Amino acid sequence: SFLHSCMAGTLLLHVGIDLFMEGVYDSYGQFDTLEYSGIWLIAVVMVLQGMSAGLLVGLASALFTYVYQSGVYVDPLRGSMTAATLRSHRWRHPEAEAVLDSKVYGRRRILVLQLQGNLFFGNIQMLTDKVKKILQEKSSSVEDDFPENSIWVVVVDFTLVTGIDSSAAQTVSK
């Protein structure tokens, strides 16, 4: 009976240390400061108050983090420019490079939109309106004598997007 208690205690201690190492120690540097402080808050509350309190604090922390991160980047459109301004560093075959450098088919016909932050139902309409306005400005600024300045391709850069909900994903896919 004493041996079984010691084994159970050792197993619980091992599992607890392993979960702490995985959740707190190994995750250092993988999250921003707000998210990582939420992890520490959950761990401390679970040690002091128990599992139920830790779950409630975790839920509150996750909701607060989501609301805060959604509000940080109010404008989801970081910038828009043609591919002549924002060039790729990728090596291309000389024929492909000649097409991109061409005035008729080239980089001036490619519009790059850089997005940032969380995309969700609250800001996706503002993004859609801005993109339509940019495209209208680009098409209205094209004179009949210079049709090579019209936009043929729009490239949307999601590199700085931290999250997207289903309604925003549906709107972007349209």
Side-chain angles (χ1 to χ4, degrees):
S1 168
F2 179 73
L3 184 62
H4 297 300
S5 298
C6 288
M7 286 181 64
T10 305
L11 180 64
L12 284 174
L13 183 64
H14 174 71
V15 169
I17 290 172
D18 190 46
L19 287 175
F20 178 82
M21 294 297 288
E22 181 182 335
V24 177
Y25 183 75
D26 292 343
S27 65
Y28 181 75
Q30 295 178 359
F31 301 102
D32 64 7
T33 307
L34 181 64
E35 292 169 337
Y36 194 67
S37 62
I39 292 171
W40 267 104
L41 178 66
I42 293 166
V44 168
V45 168
M46 286 179 101
V47 167
L48 298 177
Q49 298 293 321
M51 183 72 142
S52 298
L55 288 172
L56 291 175
V57 168
L59 178 65
S61 174
L63 288 173
F64 174 75
T65 302
Y66 176 74
V67 169
Y68 178 77
Q69 287 179 341
S70 296
V72 170
Y73 298 114
V74 176
D75 187 6
L77 184 62
R78 181 171 187 236
S80 67
M81 63 220 59
T82 64
T85 305
L86 185 69
R87 294 182 62 121
S88 171
H89 298 290
R90 184 175 181 199
W91 180 88
R92 289 184 172 77
H93 193 273
E95 291 176 6
E97 198 66 41
V99 170
L100 286 172
D101 289 336
S102 145
K103 289 190 179 212
V104 177
Y105 303 108
R107 288 182 172 92
R108 285 195 249 160
R109 292 195 180 254
I110 302 170
L111 178 68
V112 179
L113 301 173
Q114 293 178 317
L115 305 182
Q116 66 181 357
N118 273 328
L119 300 179
F120 61 103
F121 65 93
N123 66 4
I124 196 67
Q125 188 60 43
M126 178 175 54
L127 174 67
T128 304
D129 294 342
K130 279 190 169 191
V131 170
K132 286 179 183 177
K133 182 180 176 187
I134 290 169
L135 289 173
Q136 285 174 352
E137 287 174 0
K138 295 284 184 186
S139 65
S140 67
S141 68
V142 175
E143 300 172 9
D144 292 327
D145 298 339
F146 299 104
E148 69 270 2
N149 290 332
S150 64
I151 300 297
W152 279 5
V153 177
V154 176
V155 175
V156 184
D157 181 9
F158 284 88
T159 305
L160 299 175
V161 173
T162 56
I164 185 168
D165 73 355
S166 61
S167 62
Q170 262 184 339
T171 303
V172 167
S173 69
K174 290 180 184 179

